[in-house]
Amino acid sequence: MHRLPACLLLITAVYSPCALAATLEQVLQQQDADGHGDLRAVVVLRDGAVVAQRYYNGQVQDGLHDMRSAGKSVTALLVGAAVAQGKLAVNGTVGRYWPEVAGSPAGNAVLDDLLTMRSGLAAFDEDAASPGNEDKLDEALDPTAFVRGVPAAGPAGTLYRYNSLGAYIAGRVVERASGVDLDTFAGSALFAPLGITRWQWGRDVAGHAKGQGNLSLRARDMAAIGQLVLDQGMAGGRRVIAASWLEAALAPRVAIGEVDRYADHYGYFWYGKSYQLGAETITVSFASGNGGNKIYVIPARRMVVAVASRAYGKPYGQRRSEDILKALLAAE
């Protein structure tokens, strides 16, 4: 994957798709100089076709990659699929679908508030002392009891607090509403229509797929999910996710620019940010995971960029991925 296709070597001064692809490949080649050793792959789609891709540091095209919290955005798509099937209502409470936690603060939470990180629960991943902190959730011997015991911190629908608990709960709700494991539902409702045949989804101690992340996919399959979003829920001429759901999921529901330097707003487990390139404003929707894992969707360029990175816990990971995105946008 480190050699340019023959046509890409025939670069002329006249614009052509081939010349564009060569330019994008050159952007990706520049990452060979990155000394951190933890970038894995970048895949760029234009109009649904791969126009540039590169694999780094021993990663291969068919290798599965843990994209961490970018899996939350997949969970949002699965909630949308369950809503379209009539199994869920976004204004329904968690306890309506998960009776074991009914009556608790989590059971009283509304799905819409969970999906926008405004559940009002005492769950904040940036505070190790928070009762619903992700590390505490991961360490819980009884995840259901843990969820039931997380207290409320304030009124729902008001304050944005980034947390993994809400996405975990959303995944459990999809399981209960659909009657099958989360990854089984994902296989039929999302992955099969996209041609995704290989994946791994981390599970909690009770055996439930973790809706908050730890979904491992090929980089190309990460890009395929982005393409589905770009195509407003269509894939292969088939409706996979309702366009109305994607419109709701990508809408700027919560302004978060003051607390997140890489995003302007938040939707349903999807982020949004606008970039200024000269006189052009380019709006990007994206899934984001620890270490710089990204699925960028750029409608104005009919482009998707998937970045797989293992810079887990390293601040430069997010910065590097944004730099790659900016360089690709500027290359056009």
Side-chain angles (χ1 to χ4, degrees), residues 260-265 271-275 282-286 322 326:
D260 189 334
R261 61 171 291 190
Y262 297 105
D264 296 330
H265 59 259
Y271 296 85
K273 187 172 179 64
S274 294
Y275 295 93
I282 299 178
T283 299
V284 179
S285 297
F286 62 99
E322 186 180 60
K326 289 179 178 178

Side-chain angles (χ1 to χ4, degrees), residues 2 27-35 39 54-57:
H2 286 216
V27 171
L28 301 191
Q29 286 177 355
Q30 293 172 3
Q31 293 302 316
D32 291 348
D34 180 87
L39 183 61
R54 198 164 185 83
Y55 295 84
Y56 308 88
N57 300 303

Side-chain angles (χ1 to χ4, degrees), residues 1 41 43 53 55 58-64 198 217-221:
M1 305 315 299
V43 176
Q53 62 180 326
Y55 295 84
Q59 182 75 353
V60 295
Q61 182 171 312
D62 286 332
L64 295 177
R198 295 180 59 237
L217 296 172
R218 301 187 311 166
R220 278 208 184 189
D221 292 334

Side-chain angles (χ1 to χ4, degrees), residues 59 63-71 200 202 213-217 222 289-290 293 308-310 312:
Q59 182 75 353
L64 295 177
H65 177 76
D66 183 353
M67 58 184 190
R68 295 296 175 92
S69 284
Q200 293 177 354
N214 295 123
L215 171 62
S216 295
L217 296 172
M222 293 169 63
N290 188 322
N293 291 286
S309 168
R310 291 185 61 84
Y312 302 135

Side-chain angles (χ1 to χ4, degrees), residues 38-317:
D38 48 21
L39 183 61
R40 287 295 180 261
V42 182
V43 176
V44 184
L45 306 184
R46 183 74 175 269
D47 293 322
V50 176
V51 291
Q53 62 180 326
R54 198 164 185 83
Y55 295 84
Y56 308 88
N57 300 303
Q59 182 75 353
V60 295
Q61 182 171 312
D62 286 332
L64 295 177
H65 177 76
D66 183 353
M67 58 184 190
R68 295 296 175 92
S69 284
K72 289 180 172 67
S73 301
V74 174
T75 297
L77 299 181
L78 297 179
V79 172
V83 168
Q85 293 178 14
K87 301 179 186 298
L88 285 179
V90 74
N91 61 354
T93 64
V94 170
R96 174 179 172 183
Y97 305 103
W98 190 2
E100 290 84 352
V101 300
S104 68
N108 293 333
V110 174
L111 283 173
D112 184 89
D113 292 330
L114 286 175
L115 293 167
T116 56
M117 300 284 185
R118 297 180 297 175
S119 67
L121 296 173
F124 187 27
D125 286 354
E126 295 180 20
D127 179 4
S130 173
N133 177 275
E134 181 180 20
D135 291 339
K136 290 183 171 67
L137 171 63
D138 287 340
E139 295 165 0
L141 298 179
D142 184 340
T144 298
F146 178 86
V147 170
R148 194 167 51 239
V150 174
T158 56
L159 187 63
Y160 170 89
R161 281 289 182 265
Y162 183 86
N163 68 91
S164 292
L165 180 67
Y168 173 79
I169 293 172
R172 293 290 299 269
V173 166
V174 171
E175 281 193 340
R176 294 304 298 266
S178 66
V180 296
D181 290 346
L182 184 63
D183 53 345
T184 299
F185 184 74
S188 60
L190 181 62
F191 295 157
L194 297 183
I196 297 174
T197 58
R198 295 180 59 237
W199 71 88
Q200 293 177 354
W201 208 325
R203 296 176 178 271
D204 67 12
V205 296
H208 301 283
K210 299 166 74 172
Q212 71 270 34
N214 295 123
L215 171 62
S216 295
L217 296 172
R218 301 187 311 166
R220 278 208 184 189
D221 292 334
M222 293 169 63
I225 290 171
Q227 188 65 41
L228 175 73
V229 173
L230 181 62
D231 289 339
Q232 298 180 313
M234 297 292 292
R238 170 183 172 183
R239 170 64 60 193
V240 179
I241 301 294
S244 59
W245 179 261
L246 286 172
E247 182 179 0
L250 303 184
R253 294 177 167 271
V254 189
I256 64 172
E258 292 186 358
V259 296
D260 189 334
R261 61 171 291 190
Y262 297 105
D264 296 330
H265 59 259
Y266 200 68
Y268 284 164
F269 296 157
W270 283 82
Y271 296 85
K273 187 172 179 64
S274 294
Y275 295 93
Q276 198 68 35
L277 272 73
E280 184 182 13
T281 300
I282 299 178
T283 299
V284 179
S285 297
F286 62 99
S288 180
N290 188 322
N293 291 286
K294 304 287 184 179
I295 303 174
Y296 292 114
V297 180
I298 311 105
R301 298 292 175 85
R302 308 186 311 280
M303 180 182 286
V304 171
V305 178
V307 182
S309 168
R310 291 185 61 84
Y312 302 135
K314 308 291 179 57
Y316 64 78

